[in-house]
Amino acid sequence: MTTTLAERWGIDQKHFWMHGEQPAQPVRFDEARQLWAVSGYQEAVQVIGDPERFSSNLLPLMPMEVDPAITDGNLIQMDPPDHRELRTLVSHAFTRKVVADLEPRIAEVTGELLDALAEQDRFDLVTGLAYPLPVIVIAELLGVPASDQELFKKWADGLFANQSEFSLNEDDLAAQEADVAGKEQPAAEMGEYLLAHAAERRRKPRADLLTKLVEAEVDGKGLTDAQLANFASLLLLAGHVTTTMLLGNTVLCLDAHPDQLARVRADRALLPGAIEESVRFMTPFTALYRATTTEVEIGGRRIPEKQIVTVQLAAANRDERQWADPMTFDITRDPNPHLGFGRGIHFCLGAPLARLEGRVALNLLLDRFPALRTDPTAPLKFMPSPDAMGVSELTLLTS
Ligand code: HEM
């Protein structure tokens, strides 16, 4: 069933877990990429739960020059104690209440986007809703003009353009260097843009997240400009690309399981469970990377120090040693301790926002379009990056 689904959807073989396949060993050395791959659930939990031995800062192991300034303030790549300090600081600005208060605005933006689709007999879910909604919400939250979304898209496309998997194999070096070089300009432009807005907030505070970040202090210390630019860039990027995938993937998964779609339509209390299951079944952010700081033993394998380890979250989310019927999409799976938002100290800061946007937007979409279904004549398109799993084009019929 699942194999047929992945085939029907035209999913690339590199996303092996979508085809119902799992590596024979939960921890293995990937010769082609010259790095370690962890696909077992328990082993993945072990790696991401141990930042002391598995660092998030890969810079010292990168085979090419990378300017360290571009990672300062990028939480995802930091280790304790710096990570703890910065995360505490930003979580004062990005609280659960800040997110919960966004619900009416998320509903309003969704309503406007759906109004524009109301008369159409078919539309692309991604351009019509799944892309613009998260981008407008995160732009407004940060306090940058949502009307600049073409710019954000250009930068996000530039930063997610890589089609080659991260690899330490010398034969792949040229492709890796090109990937890193290709990201420099969009990263720099995005940083400058956000800093210019932050500078304005220093002069004239407003009720937005940029102002809160400019003002945030822990122990009398605030963010430097580089930290501010990198963190705001991370929020702007992480705040939309992944949520776009979450929305598209959930619609696709439900469409492929009409009985479960009917249950969600009839009982919207089932929607949050459907969203969680879509994050497990079609994990948008498929892999994380860590660097060993010392020799470690994991899953019966000994990994030397200074090795890169990729944690294959999407594969771990289908590890049959952990899950009953892992290849089956089941909106009532409970508990569902998937690793789609990570785990431990780097647990996704935006998970409450992504979940809220998913719930509000999908509820309204189902309300507005009682007969919504995928167009069998339109091919599906997926994000090109190997570390992403999400639709980039999903044509829906409204009747
Ligand atoms: C971290 C996934 C939405 C901001 C992470 C991590 C994952 C993840 C797997 C862990 C990274 C690691 O351990 O190295 C997702 C998915 C999303 C989503 C699947 C949507 C479906 C968002 C949104 C935001 C956001 C909406 C912001 C508004 C962040 C930040 C971190 C993070 C700032 C870094 C936290 C830290 O390092 O302490 N996300 N994310 N994410 N995410 Fe998300």
Side-chain angles (χ1 to χ4, degrees):
M1 168 72 187
T2 310
T3 311
T4 336
L5 253 194
E7 275 171 12
R8 197 167 95 206
W9 289 344
I11 289 183
D12 195 292
Q13 282 296 335
K14 68 181 174 253
H15 293 126
F16 57 86
W17 57 91
M18 294 296 299
H19 292 269
E21 290 159 23
Q22 284 288 331
Q25 294 169 328
V27 177
R28 66 204 183 280
F29 187 70
D30 182 334
E31 290 287 344
R33 298 168 72 194
Q34 291 290 303
L35 46 74
W36 293 80
V38 174
S39 54
Y41 180 92
Q42 288 303 340
E43 292 80 6
V45 167
Q46 242 175 295
V47 172
I48 51 186
D50 187 354
E52 210 169 293
R53 297 194 301 165
F54 296 93
S55 164
S56 289
N57 179 9
L58 306 187
L59 277 193
L61 301 186
M62 296 295 267
M64 72 291 283
E65 281 288 310
V66 183
D67 180 359
I70 66 166
T71 59
D72 185 19
N74 188 331
L75 265 191
I76 279 195
Q77 299 175 33
M78 291 166 71
D79 291 326
D82 297 351
H83 173 269
R84 191 178 318 113
E85 224 174 71
L86 188 64
R87 177 136 177 162
T88 309
L89 198 148
V90 298
S91 42
H92 286 174
F94 196 53
T95 59
R96 282 190 181 258
K97 177 164 175 7
V98 167
V99 173
D101 287 349
L102 290 173
E103 179 159 354
R105 181 62 186 143
I106 296 172
E108 190 178 37
V109 175
T110 305
E112 287 164 13
L113 291 167
L114 295 180
D115 284 348
L117 305 172
E119 304 301 319
Q120 303 186 13
D121 55 4
R122 77 182 58 209
F123 61 83
D124 171 28
L125 181 79
V126 178
T127 45
L129 175 70
Y131 185 78
L133 174 68
V135 91
I136 292 170
V137 171
I138 192 72
E140 290 185 356
L141 179 65
L142 272 168
V144 295
S147 53
D148 284 342
Q149 59 173 280
E150 283 306 311
L151 270 181
F152 309 153
K153 180 153 174 33
K154 188 185 88 178
W155 295 329
D157 286 348
L159 291 165
F160 278 89
N162 60 307
Q163 306 221 359
S164 49
E165 281 185 306
F166 179 72
S167 163
L168 292 175
N169 191 324
E170 280 185 10
D171 296 345
D172 299 330
L173 189 59
Q176 301 287 313
E177 278 175 343
D179 275 349
V180 170
K183 291 178 183 178
E184 273 166 14
Q185 193 175 343
E189 282 182 21
M190 197 167 174
E192 275 166 36
Y193 171 93
L194 289 162
L195 261 191
H197 281 279
E200 235 175 83
R201 294 312 182 285
R202 279 193 214 278
R203 289 193 297 273
K204 244 202 217 154
R206 282 199 220 157
D208 58 28
L209 195 56
L210 268 183
T211 305
K212 286 205 175 100
L213 290 174
V214 162
E215 292 172 348
E217 279 188 6
V218 166
D219 298 334
K221 257 176 47 193
L223 294 174
T224 63
D225 274 359
Q227 288 174 330
L228 214 151
N230 287 332
F231 180 66
S233 298
L234 171 63
L235 279 184
L236 187 53
L237 256 193
H240 73 280
V241 180
T242 44
T243 309
T244 300
M245 293 192 269
L246 175 143
L247 294 171
N249 293 354
T250 307
V251 170
L252 183 63
C253 288
L254 284 172
D255 179 78
H257 300 87
D259 49 329
Q260 301 192 56
L261 174 59
R263 290 180 63 190
V264 173
R265 279 196 178 279
D267 178 5
R268 299 305 173 80
L270 293 172
L271 187 53
I275 293 172
E276 294 309 307
E277 179 65 346
S278 121
V279 175
R280 183 195 71 83
F281 189 79
M282 251 182 119
T283 309
F285 205 112
T286 66
L288 306 175
Y289 293 87
R290 298 291 192 260
T292 54
T293 57
T294 175
E295 186 185 85
V296 285
E297 201 183 312
I298 184 154
R301 299 296 301 266
R302 200 171 281 277
I303 308 181
E305 70 166 341
K306 297 191 180 159
Q307 296 286 301
I308 290 197
V309 176
T310 174
V311 183
Q312 298 180 304
L313 297 178
N317 280 338
R318 287 170 175 242
D319 178 355
E320 57 194 14
R321 296 171 309 160
Q322 170 69 22
W323 306 91
D325 295 328
M327 306 302 167
T328 303
F329 179 79
D330 175 6
I331 58 168
T332 59
R333 195 179 284 279
D334 183 25
N336 189 348
H338 65 74
L339 302 178
F341 290 114
R343 182 69 75 83
I345 64 166
H346 289 279
F347 180 77
C348 177
L349 196 64
L353 177 59
R355 286 172 165 147
L356 179 66
E357 287 182 301
R359 177 170 59 75
V360 172
L362 296 175
N363 251 326
L364 289 172
L365 182 75
L366 296 177
D367 287 347
R368 287 283 184 103
F369 300 103
L372 201 63
R373 64 202 161 90
T374 50
D375 178 352
T377 64
L380 281 169
K381 284 205 181 136
F382 291 90
M383 298 274 294
S385 166
D387 290 340
M389 176 74 253
V391 278
S392 59
E393 217 175 292
L394 177 58
T395 310
L396 297 176
L397 300 174
T398 57
S399 58

